[in-house]
Amino acid sequence: MAAYGALVSLMHIIDRLEKHPSPPISIHKQQLESLTQNVTFLQKFLDAYISPVVDDHEVDPLERRIADAVYAAEDVIESQIVLQIENQSTIRGKMSSFIKLFGAWCKCATIDVNAAEDFYHDLQQVIEEMNSISTAADQLQRKVSSTHAASSSTVIKKDVLEIVAAAQLPRKVSSTHAASSSSVKESMMVGFKEVLLEVLDKLTGGQRSRQIIPIMGMGGIGKTTLARHLFEHALVKEHFDICAWTTISQTYNVGETLREVLFQASRDSGSDLNEVELGEKLYKYLYDRRYLIIMDDMWSIEVWDKIRSSFPDCNDGSRIIVTTRLSNLTSQLRESYGVGMKFLDEASSWDLFTNIVFGGESFPHELENIGKNIVANCKGLPLSIATIGGLLAKSERAREYWVRIEQNLNSIVITNNDEFCLKILRLSYTYLPNYLKPCFLYMGVFEEDRSIRASMLKKLWVSEGFLKPVSGKCLETIADEYLKELVDRNLILVDKLGEFSGNIKFCKIHDLLRDLCLKEVEKERFYDIIEKSPSVIDNERRRVVFQNVGRGVISEVSRSLSHVRSIICDGNSFVRPHNFRLLRTFKAYDTDIHQYGDDGDHFLGDVFQLVNSRHLAVRLHRKSKFPSSINLLWNLSTLIVKQCTFHESWDMIRCSIVLRWPDVIAPIEIWKLHQLRHLEFVEDALILPDPPSEMVIMENLQTLRRANNLYLNEDVVKRIPNVKKLHLLYRSEEMESLSELKEMERANCLTYLECLSKLENFYCDISDRISKWDTIEGQFRSLKLLELDRCSGLQNWTMVESSHFPLLQELRLRYLDELEEIPSEVGEIPTLKSITLEYCSESAVESAAKIVEEQQDLYGDQLDLHVRVLLWDRDERLQSLASPNFEVTVSG
């Protein structure tokens, strides 16, 4: 719901102005009170309001009017903010003499007075419109209440009653009511176990020649679920030498498909190879190996024709599974055997539904008949059953609510399967709590079949202003809860979990649900996706996404984007970001999308002109420098920067010539970014200066990634008290210019880590400056991941008690070639799940093996600790230490 998201966003702006130590503008007290009252009232109104508009293609006029008014308020306020910042910047930047300074001050003062008057007038107009809307909403609310009390039998009043009844139903539920994600995953195979066994037989038996097995059926029927179960089946893993999975989709890329299969098969990314070379290398690697390749979501025979020569047929029983919505693909693939996925029968549908909604609990008798009617209207489509089940699993066990769902289902007229499914799925969106709707709609921003990094998604939700603040919780925690709730409702799919944390690391959205997102987005004008050809952007589009478009298209469209608040152009060559005065989110770089060449690289001086920014993710031009104007970005919450390593031809890349540019030096003004939450440099490092004498606490900062030679003294750690992820580098060659005393201070600065009580993830590359490390009690109270990299001088690590790391889950040690041993107390940490050693000393490897042996004696088969060791050379003595909990691999 665009209106609700807009209200939350406006409240964020107001709150940040009020709480910022040096806000660029102030709002008249009476206007501020009116705005706050209107926003608060309209949020509560929408929480109790379900639109009477039932047409899928029509937007509710009241919600549209609310959204338009809120957007107008944002425009007035943020335009004034930008104007004020630009005026202040002009005065500071231009003047040198007193006379010029005085004259400019007088001129700007006159401009400021006029601008302030215009601002007051424009904002008052918006407030009057919001007052009018609030009055109308209040009257509607009173009418609904009085109609409900009178219990009139007229059709109009009955419709109002239905709206109120649905809106007033509580939707809170205890965790015992909902099935877990793992149980849902198992439930999804209800009714398909016979098919699973049938395909297993075809995979592991039958003809010796290579065989293609198409799995066919409509969207949501369970093709991918069946393929995933086959892919993960123990018998399959044992039978095949190589198993790989790739998603084709409608907008396939032959090179990326081959590269993905090659990487999964051999761990070779083939990043320096073209399509032909990739195909040849994949063919050679697969030759004489029994392989299973699953190609998910194939839409045409053309893609197979382009890649088929890369998959050898060595008469060893290799198999290729293809999932497709196209029933005629079997004949085109010239395969006699195919699996046609059918709708679930009545019994299987009921089993799936009950497992998802109630898990192992018994079905309440008073809901059974209603539940069976709901399941019957899903017509045996697993995705529909799972999605509606996910909705009801998160709802109160109230008969009235279930009746409402049943009535909506019964009113649907079936046209064709895909359209019917979208109408079914739309109910899950309709009955989503308002606070989740903008987050769900945002999923359509990402390309079809995209594996979406959860941490990146949550940062974007924060910057877009979707998340309603909750007392005592940071916005990232709220975002994490929203993501989990959408997963529990089967609206977002978990693609990968953290190996030890169990948190969602990557997620996806089903094609049909993405289609639903895009339909709702188009109706509500929530954002605009530009694909392949220019599009006219109207002033009501606040967010623009560029996908698979050239630089010319971007340049043409960009001329009409002065009003836009968000631009997402991952992997596209975006022109210099100018004339976007009100832009909040500029995402032109993604760590999960490979981009080569210097098209799309930016100068920080250009990017930092976007003074209204909240989220900036860019690749730097090699000549870019950090300007002092960063302090103008009063509202910046996320800054992600990749400093490009090379800008030459593909020949240079293929020859493995890598140029390292100097680290970026930040100005002292960076310490004044009050709202900054995430400061991340990718690959190269950022040099942070010592903070200014004036005390400005960056209480929102949670991530500081790849800071070089940061002097962690008492003053610095006080500035960043809430950091959770800290990645530090200390390079000896850059410290040699310091005085001996200063160098010693910086080398011992890690003792101040005990002041960072919320630190969860700590990475340190400290060159050869440590020859000893003594951990102490209370230093790492919240730490879950510790990674020491290239600490070549570290010899002795002393640790008296395992309680020094009370929450540690994962320890990674890389290039510690002088470390004598890992303290035995490490093995006694009860939460520790994993130790990884890469290219460390023999004695360190032996000490890790000893830790495993000691813990094995205590816990036997119940031991939950796993050690992975990577060696340079084949050392038979160290390899002989291998055991089920101690894995040894030789590089190359």
Side-chain angles (χ1 to χ4, degrees):
M1 178 189 291
Y4 192 87
L7 286 165
V8 175
S9 176
L10 177 57
M11 202 66 234
H12 271 293
I13 296 173
I14 295 172
D15 285 342
R16 290 186 178 185
L17 280 172
E18 286 292 290
K19 296 174 183 177
H20 199 281
S22 55
I25 66 165
S26 60
I27 301 176
H28 190 278
K29 183 178 179 181
Q30 187 176 357
Q31 289 185 323
L32 183 63
E33 290 176 355
S34 297
L35 271 176
T36 304
Q37 289 173 1
N38 277 312
V39 170
T40 303
F41 170 78
L42 290 172
Q43 280 184 333
K44 290 181 179 178
F45 169 78
L46 289 177
D47 278 330
Y49 175 74
I50 291 185
S51 171
V53 177
V54 295
D55 190 341
D56 291 356
H57 305 289
E58 183 181 348
V59 70
D60 185 290
L62 178 57
E63 292 182 16
R64 172 60 58 79
R65 188 180 174 192
I66 293 173
D68 289 345
V70 175
Y71 290 155
E74 287 188 337
D75 289 346
V76 171
I77 294 172
E78 292 187 320
S79 294
Q80 181 67 13
I81 290 172
V82 172
L83 178 63
Q84 193 71 19
I85 292 175
E86 289 175 346
N87 286 344
Q88 293 172 358
S89 176
T90 301
I91 292 178
R92 285 197 298 263
K94 280 188 174 181
M95 303 305 141
S96 55
S97 69
F98 174 78
I99 295 177
K100 287 183 178 180
L101 178 60
F102 182 75
W105 181 86
C106 292
K107 182 178 180 181
C108 287
T110 303
I111 294 173
D112 284 350
V113 170
N114 294 335
E117 291 178 354
D118 291 341
F119 171 56
Y120 181 90
H121 175 73
D122 293 342
L123 188 57
Q124 192 60 35
Q125 282 189 314
V126 173
I127 291 173
E128 289 172 4
E129 167 66 1
M130 295 182 74
N131 286 337
S132 175
I133 296 171
S134 295
T135 300
D138 184 54
Q139 290 173 352
L140 176 60
Q141 201 170 53
R142 292 175 185 273
K143 180 181 177 181
V144 168
S145 299
S146 61
T147 305
H148 183 265
S151 300
S152 172
S153 59
T154 63
V155 174
I156 296 176
K157 290 182 179 179
K158 180 175 182 294
D159 290 341
V160 173
L161 278 173
E162 287 180 357
I163 295 171
V164 175
Q168 289 180 341
L169 289 174
R171 299 193 175 108
K172 212 172 178 184
V173 63
S174 66
S175 59
T176 57
H177 290 180
S180 67
S181 298
S182 60
S183 64
V184 169
K185 183 178 178 182
E186 291 301 318
S187 298
M188 290 299 292
M189 284 310 295
V190 170
F192 296 128
K193 291 185 178 178
E194 290 183 5
V195 179
L196 177 71
L197 294 174
E198 178 183 353
V199 181
L200 271 177
D201 182 63
K202 292 290 182 182
L203 289 176
T204 58
Q207 64 189 49
R208 299 283 299 170
S209 61
R210 185 195 67 191
Q211 187 177 8
I212 302 175
I213 303 175
I215 300 177
M216 304 162 293
M218 66 165 288
I221 198 72
K223 304 181 298 294
T224 300
T225 303
L226 173 61
R228 179 63 67 182
H229 274 75
L230 291 165
F231 187 72
E232 296 174 354
H233 201 282
L235 183 60
V236 169
K237 290 182 177 180
E238 181 181 346
H239 183 75
F240 293 96
D241 301 318
I242 294 171
C243 294
W245 180 293
T246 183
T247 301
I248 306 298
S249 77
Q250 289 173 289
T251 56
Y252 65 87
N253 182 299
V254 171
E256 288 302 317
T257 297
L258 294 173
R259 186 173 285 111
E260 187 175 12
V261 175
L262 177 63
F263 180 77
Q264 290 187 42
S266 67
R267 315 309 295 176
D268 183 347
S269 65
S271 58
D272 56 343
L273 305 177
N274 58 34
E275 281 183 18
V276 175
E277 293 167 335
L278 282 167
E280 292 173 351
K281 188 164 189 175
L282 179 60
Y283 183 93
K284 291 177 181 177
Y285 192 86
L286 295 179
Y287 196 85
D288 272 346
R289 289 181 168 97
R290 183 189 294 154
Y291 59 83
L292 169 65
I293 310 296
I294 296 184
M295 300 182 182
D296 189 35
D297 201 19
M298 185 179 287
W299 284 80
S300 70
I301 191 64
E302 285 78 14
V303 63
W304 172 244
D305 289 338
K306 292 178 180 179
I307 64 176
R308 64 188 308 164
S309 60
S310 303
F311 300 94
D313 184 359
C314 301
N315 286 313
D316 58 0
S318 291
R319 298 287 185 264
I320 296 174
I321 290 179
V322 172
T323 72
T324 180
R325 297 187 189 185
L326 308 178
S327 58
N328 63 345
L329 202 62
T330 300
S331 59
Q332 294 178 354
L333 289 168
R334 298 175 184 174
E335 295 295 327
S336 57
Y337 179 81
V339 178
M341 298 291 289
K342 300 178 181 180
F343 292 100
L344 296 176
D345 60 24
E346 182 179 348
S348 297
S349 296
W350 182 246
D351 288 342
L352 174 59
F353 181 74
T354 55
N355 285 342
I356 290 175
V357 179
F358 295 106
E361 297 181 21
S362 59
F363 205 110
H365 178 72
E366 68 274 15
L367 298 177
E368 187 167 346
N369 288 335
I370 304 172
K372 288 185 175 179
N373 289 337
I374 291 173
V375 172
N377 277 296
C378 289
K379 305 299 181 183
L381 185 66
L383 180 61
S384 298
I385 297 171
T387 307
I388 295 297
L391 168 67
L392 294 174
K394 297 293 291 183
S395 305
E396 190 81 8
R397 296 181 183 179
R399 189 176 188 278
E400 295 83 2
Y401 187 71
W402 283 51
V403 168
R404 179 70 179 177
I405 296 294
E406 178 193 8
Q407 289 174 344
N408 277 275
L409 282 166
N410 288 338
S411 67
I412 293 175
V413 178
I414 302 174
T415 52
N416 60 66
N417 285 334
D418 278 342
E419 187 65 23
F420 165 63
C421 188
L422 277 176
K423 288 185 176 183
I424 289 281
L425 296 179
R426 189 175 184 274
L427 282 176
S428 290
Y429 172 73
T430 300
Y431 286 97
L432 267 181
N434 285 331
Y435 61 84
L436 289 178
K437 286 182 177 178
C439 297
F440 173 66
L441 291 183
Y442 203 75
M443 300 301 292
V445 161
F446 304 100
E447 301 92 335
E448 184 181 358
D449 296 315
R450 166 80 182 270
S451 184
I452 304 161
R453 187 177 292 272
S455 59
M456 175 267 294
L457 175 65
K458 289 182 282 190
K459 288 185 181 75
L460 289 171
W461 283 352
V462 170
S463 70
E464 295 285 2
F466 295 155
L467 309 178
K468 189 175 181 179
V470 176
S471 178
K473 293 182 180 179
C474 69
L475 291 175
E476 284 75 11
T477 299
I478 297 171
D480 191 58
E481 292 175 354
Y482 285 11
L483 177 60
K484 289 177 180 176
E485 190 167 352
L486 287 169
V487 167
D488 287 342
R489 292 170 179 271
N490 293 309
L491 292 173
I492 292 180
L493 307 175
V494 175
D495 195 48
K496 184 178 181 182
L497 291 172
E499 187 174 1
F500 305 107
S501 66
N503 295 328
I504 301 170
K505 194 169 184 179
F506 287 89
C507 60
K508 300 181 80 169
I509 183 169
H510 190 280
D511 292 352
L512 278 179
L513 290 168
R514 183 175 181 271
D515 291 343
L516 171 66
C517 280
L518 297 181
K519 285 180 180 292
E520 293 297 317
V521 162
E522 179 65 26
K523 183 178 72 176
E524 297 199 24
R525 299 184 293 201
F526 195 54
Y527 51 80
D528 201 17
I529 295 182
I530 310 298
E531 294 181 290
K532 298 183 180 179
S533 59
S535 175
V536 178
I537 311 296
D538 62 64
N539 288 331
E540 295 170 339
R541 303 282 183 174
R542 314 286 283 188
R543 303 171 182 88
V544 177
V545 183
F546 292 96
Q547 292 181 355
N548 303 314
V549 295
R551 190 164 186 167
V553 172
I554 293 177
S555 179
E556 182 177 346
V557 173
S558 297
R559 298 170 189 169
S560 59
L561 297 186
S562 59
H563 59 283
V564 167
R565 293 307 201 279
S566 300
I567 294 177
I568 297 178
C569 50
D570 299 337
N572 293 279
S573 301
F574 197 83
V575 294
R576 179 177 176 267
H578 61 289
N579 296 328
F580 307 136
R581 299 173 69 250
L582 303 180
L583 195 68
R584 298 174 188 158
T585 299
F586 181 49
K587 186 173 181 291
Y589 169 73
D590 192 304
T591 55
D592 300 313
I593 297 178
H594 299 292
Q595 183 178 345
Y596 300 105
D598 57 3
D599 286 346
D601 293 351
H602 299 277
F603 289 91
L604 285 177
D606 294 337
V607 175
F608 287 173
Q609 291 178 18
L610 309 173
V611 296
N612 201 44
S613 296
R614 298 179 186 173
H615 182 110
L616 295 173
V618 296
R619 289 198 330 168
L620 284 191
H621 191 279
R622 61 187 177 89
K623 295 182 179 179
S624 181
K625 295 182 178 180
F626 231 113
S628 61
S629 60
I630 190 173
N631 67 307
L632 299 179
L633 278 64
W634 74 284
N635 213 10
L636 186 66
S637 62
T638 298
L639 178 61
I640 300 174
V641 173
K642 179 184 186 297
Q643 188 178 13
C644 291
T645 311
F646 42 74
H647 288 264
E648 303 297 334
S649 66
W650 275 97
D651 290 335
M652 176 176 287
I653 300 171
R654 290 171 63 129
C655 293
S656 300
I657 298 176
V658 177
L659 302 180
R660 180 182 175 274
W661 309 117
D663 293 336
V664 178
I665 303 175
I668 197 171
E669 287 81 2
I670 198 170
W671 290 100
K672 299 180 181 180
L673 295 182
H674 179 74
Q675 296 290 351
L676 193 63
R677 312 177 79 88
H678 307 281
L679 177 58
E680 302 183 26
F681 266 60
V682 182
E683 294 183 3
D684 285 300
L686 170 71
I687 298 178
L688 282 175
D690 294 340
S693 56
E694 58 189 285
M695 180 57 72
V696 179
I697 298 177
M698 303 174 74
E699 69 273 10
N700 291 308
L701 190 67
Q702 297 184 28
T703 305
L704 178 56
R705 179 184 173 94
R706 296 191 69 81
N708 189 13
N709 293 344
L710 178 63
Y711 184 18
L712 276 181
N713 59 12
E714 184 177 359
D715 181 41
V716 170
V717 296
K718 284 182 178 178
R719 310 288 183 116
I720 54 174
N722 296 315
V723 163
K724 293 183 178 180
K725 294 183 179 180
L726 183 61
H727 290 206
L728 300 178
L729 297 90
Y730 291 92
R731 292 173 176 159
S732 58
E733 67 272 13
E734 295 171 14
M735 293 174 64
E736 290 172 355
S737 60
L738 300 172
S739 67
E740 185 176 349
L741 177 61
K742 204 72 171 177
E743 185 177 346
M744 289 176 61
E745 289 178 350
R746 289 187 184 258
N748 296 321
C749 67
L750 297 186
T751 57
Y752 289 95
L753 288 172
E754 64 186 36
C755 301
L756 300 175
S757 61
K758 297 184 179 179
L759 188 62
E760 296 180 0
N761 183 319
F762 179 55
Y763 167 95
C764 187
D765 175 346
I766 201 166
S767 188
D768 59 354
R769 290 291 150 181
I770 296 182
S771 55
K772 186 178 181 181
W773 190 30
D774 295 329
T775 57
I776 59 176
E777 188 76 31
Q779 191 174 25
F780 296 105
R781 285 168 282 178
S782 302
L783 198 69
K784 297 178 181 178
L785 170 62
L786 172 62
E787 183 169 358
L788 301 178
D789 190 2
R790 303 178 195 277
C791 302
S792 55
L794 179 60
Q795 297 177 355
N796 300 309
W797 177 6
T798 304
M799 180 173 146
V800 179
E801 296 287 344
S802 62
S803 58
H804 291 186
F805 296 91
L807 298 179
L808 190 67
Q809 297 177 351
E810 189 173 1
L811 173 64
R812 300 175 187 169
L813 306 176
R814 302 178 70 245
Y815 298 101
L816 271 61
D817 49 13
E818 295 187 25
L819 181 64
E820 294 179 0
E821 66 174 3
I822 302 173
S824 60
E825 290 78 11
V826 167
E828 299 170 6
I829 300 173
T831 55
L832 190 65
K833 305 295 183 185
S834 169
I835 301 176
T836 300
L837 296 93
E838 296 184 9
Y839 314 120
C840 293
S841 65
E842 293 183 8
S843 59
V845 174
E846 290 170 346
S847 67
K850 185 178 180 181
I851 287 174
V852 171
E853 183 180 351
E854 291 173 349
Q855 296 301 304
Q856 192 85 44
D857 291 340
L858 290 173
Y859 299 101
D861 294 338
Q862 302 300 315
L863 180 62
D864 203 18
L865 173 64
H866 191 86
V867 177
R868 298 179 179 89
V869 177
L870 182 61
L871 306 173
W872 280 117
D873 303 313
R874 189 175 298 280
D875 189 319
E876 293 184 1
R877 184 175 60 84
L878 292 180
Q879 285 184 287
S880 67
L881 299 175
S883 69
N885 288 77
F886 192 85
E887 177 185 338
V888 182
T889 305
V890 178
S891 176

